[in-house]
Amino acid sequence: MVGNLPLNPDKKVIDPATKELIDRLLLERLSLAGIALAVKVSEQWLQDYVNRKYARMPRTVQVLSKKKGKLAIQCDELWSFVDHKSNKQWVWLALDVKTREIVGVYIGARDSAALVFDPSLQFVITCLGLLRKDSP
């Protein structure tokens, strides 16, 4: 035995109750290594299981129709480094205050030159106050 895992593992069938427990643990955002250790499955099996679940997820967004009227939007921004510190990426989100649905998003540089030329982002730009009202 190495830890809780046998040295010569047999091909083991994972029962539905264990899969249900794994699903609940995944929703709690526990690490895959922690889940594998807790439920006594290999990390490779667990990664394959997660990949299969992900592949079955629908790739389309379902938007519910809403009553027409004023839309109250809350905007937020955040940033992170990607790969190295000189590659800072910004994320802007525009959320419907009532439903908390994302109604707009932009990921990229924070310079106004990049933002001005994308007309689909004007409502996010205006909401965040990144440009003056008299800007193009």
Side-chain angles (χ1 to χ4, degrees):
M1 297 279 285
V2 175
N4 292 335
L5 301 174
L7 286 175
N8 299 313
D10 296 326
K11 189 165 182 155
K12 174 176 140 179
V13 175
I14 309 300
D15 61 272
T18 301
K19 289 181 182 178
E20 186 178 317
L21 174 60
I22 290 170
D23 291 343
R24 287 196 316 270
L25 294 173
L26 287 169
L27 290 173
E28 294 297 326
R29 296 183 174 180
L30 300 176
S31 71
L32 293 182
I35 294 171
L37 184 63
V39 297
K40 298 181 181 174
V41 298
S42 72
E43 287 183 38
Q44 183 61 55
W45 179 89
L46 182 57
Q47 184 65 63
D48 292 341
Y49 176 74
V50 170
N51 291 349
R52 286 190 304 273
K53 287 186 79 63
Y54 178 74
R56 290 192 304 263
M57 295 299 294
R59 300 280 189 248
T60 57
V61 177
Q62 295 179 358
V63 179
L64 302 174
S65 61
K66 295 175 184 59
K67 189 171 106 177
K68 295 195 188 253
K70 283 189 175 183
L71 176 64
I73 294 178
Q74 172 186 345
C75 294
D76 200 3
E77 65 179 334
L78 59 117
W79 60 268
S80 181
F81 300 117
V82 178
D83 196 33
H84 49 85
K85 284 190 176 185
S86 64
N87 188 13
K88 192 184 283 188
Q89 296 294 308
W90 289 82
V91 178
W92 286 273
L93 294 175
L95 299 143
D96 180 339
V97 172
K98 196 175 209 175
T99 65
R100 307 300 300 160
E101 292 176 315
I102 296 173
V103 296
V105 65
Y106 174 78
I107 301 171
R110 193 177 195 274
D111 60 356
S112 61
L115 296 174
V116 170
F117 297 108
D118 190 341
S120 65
L121 298 173
Q122 291 303 312
F123 72 97
V124 176
I125 293 166
T126 303
C127 179
L128 292 172
L130 298 174
L131 299 175
R132 295 188 335 247
K133 291 192 191 287
D134 59 346
S135 295

